[in-house]
Amino acid sequence: GHHAFASSANNCPCGTVLMTEFMSELERRFRVLAEPSARFLTGHSSGGWSSLWLQVSHPETFGGVWSTSPDPVDFRDFQQIDLYRAGEGMYVDARGGARPLARMRGRVLLWYRGFDEMERALGAGGQLHSFEAAFSPRGEDGRPLPAWDRDTGAVDTTVTKPWEKYDIRLVLERDWPTLGPKLAGKLHVFMGAEDTFYLEGATRLLKESLAGLGSDAVVEVVPGKDHFTLLSPDLRQRIRREMAEAFLESHAAGATK
């Protein structure tokens, strides 16, 4: 699955390796400006989460992030599931209805139980299991501890409690006195209001949290857009323009030479 650049108990220390090995080698081989004000992050979906995570976890290394349709940025709404609430289920909601995983134009395409059963049949490396590899503690058998019972879907909050370390909204709230000044002007998040994978709920919670913290972050939930239609030509061009403007704020003199 996707390691999300989150150094974890199960995957390699991916974030640390990126910072300490890859970036230094990139800057050695290529003619780049090795300055935070010249480094920008962007990504979509799991890449949206990864880029936002890198900006938040290394606030002084990068000059800004433009994250689109990120994976859950608040684990109280993990595709409509509160991973911290006792009695929560991955397969069935509080009313006893089957939990949907994906939709398109109002029609459910995938259900959690069926998708998880498919991943179990295929073996390690699926999307849902990759979250456990990135966020869960490591079990005695050397594998990530399962966050939910594979037969009943019941969430194991003793396993998901340690996921707090990777809950972007929670990290920001807990460390805002130190993170806030370092992230000023750097956070940009875009999400479709009808996201295909029900990711808009977590982004709305992040938006509310950042507003309460007094952040200048730009968090936009775009009406009528889903996971695949959000990144329109107009939004792509806007992101390019805003990155260029952010770069020129610090390097305008050099850019004219």
Side-chain angles (χ1 to χ4, degrees):
H2 184 28
H3 55 67
F5 289 109
S7 297
S8 75
N10 302 291
N11 297 327
C12 74
C14 306
T16 301
V17 169
L18 179 73
M19 295 296 107
T20 61
E21 298 182 21
F22 178 81
M23 282 179 52
S24 60
E25 185 65 11
L26 177 74
E27 291 165 354
R28 185 186 70 81
R29 292 192 186 193
F30 298 95
R31 187 169 61 89
V32 300
L33 284 175
E35 300 177 24
S37 56
R39 300 189 190 109
F40 302 101
L41 295 157
T42 189
H44 187 77
S45 194
S46 291
W49 191 94
S50 303
S51 56
L52 186 58
W53 172 253
L54 286 171
Q55 182 67 74
V56 170
S57 56
H58 302 278
E60 295 180 299
T61 302
F62 300 100
V65 60
W66 283 258
S67 165
T68 59
S69 299
D71 285 345
V73 292
D74 186 327
F75 294 163
R76 297 173 301 174
D77 191 330
F78 196 89
Q79 294 169 284
Q80 300 188 301
I81 300 164
D82 185 346
L83 294 181
Y84 304 136
R85 190 179 74 84
E88 194 78 327
M90 300 289 282
Y91 303 154
V92 179
D93 62 26
R95 298 184 300 275
R99 281 202 189 275
L101 178 62
R103 62 186 169 179
M104 186 66 72
R105 292 185 288 276
R107 176 174 172 267
V108 175
L109 301 178
L110 297 171
W111 303 91
Y112 249 104
R113 182 186 291 275
F115 193 84
D116 192 31
E117 288 174 348
M118 178 190 71
E119 285 199 356
R120 291 165 66 186
L122 293 174
Q127 176 68 50
L128 297 180
H129 296 183
S130 74
F131 290 126
E132 290 174 326
F135 307 141
S136 284
R138 194 170 195 171
E140 293 182 0
D141 61 357
R143 299 180 62 80
L145 289 177
W148 65 92
D149 185 289
R150 291 307 195 259
D151 294 323
T152 67
V155 172
D156 186 344
T157 54
T158 65
V159 175
T160 56
K161 175 70 174 177
W163 285 34
E164 290 182 347
K165 178 181 177 182
Y166 305 98
D167 185 325
I168 291 176
R169 182 273 313 172
L170 189 56
V171 169
L172 286 166
E173 286 185 354
R174 286 181 171 177
D175 300 333
W176 191 250
T178 55
L179 283 177
K182 298 175 183 178
L183 291 173
K186 294 182 177 182
L187 299 179
H188 311 79
V189 182
F190 304 92
M191 174 66 71
E194 299 170 19
D195 185 78
T196 309
F197 303 102
Y198 301 93
L199 297 170
E200 75 279 1
T203 297
R204 291 185 191 277
L205 291 175
L206 177 66
K207 180 181 178 71
E208 293 172 6
S209 175
L210 286 168
L213 292 168
S215 171
D216 64 357
V218 174
V219 183
E220 297 183 10
V221 181
V222 185
K225 297 294 185 179
D226 62 29
H227 203 73
F228 303 105
T229 60
L230 171 71
L231 204 51
S232 64
D234 286 345
L235 181 55
R236 290 178 186 271
Q237 187 59 34
R238 173 182 168 182
I239 290 172
R240 293 190 189 102
R241 183 182 70 253
E242 291 181 357
M243 282 186 176
E245 291 170 352
F247 173 80
L248 291 173
E249 284 183 10
S250 299
H251 303 279
T256 59
K257 293 181 181 179

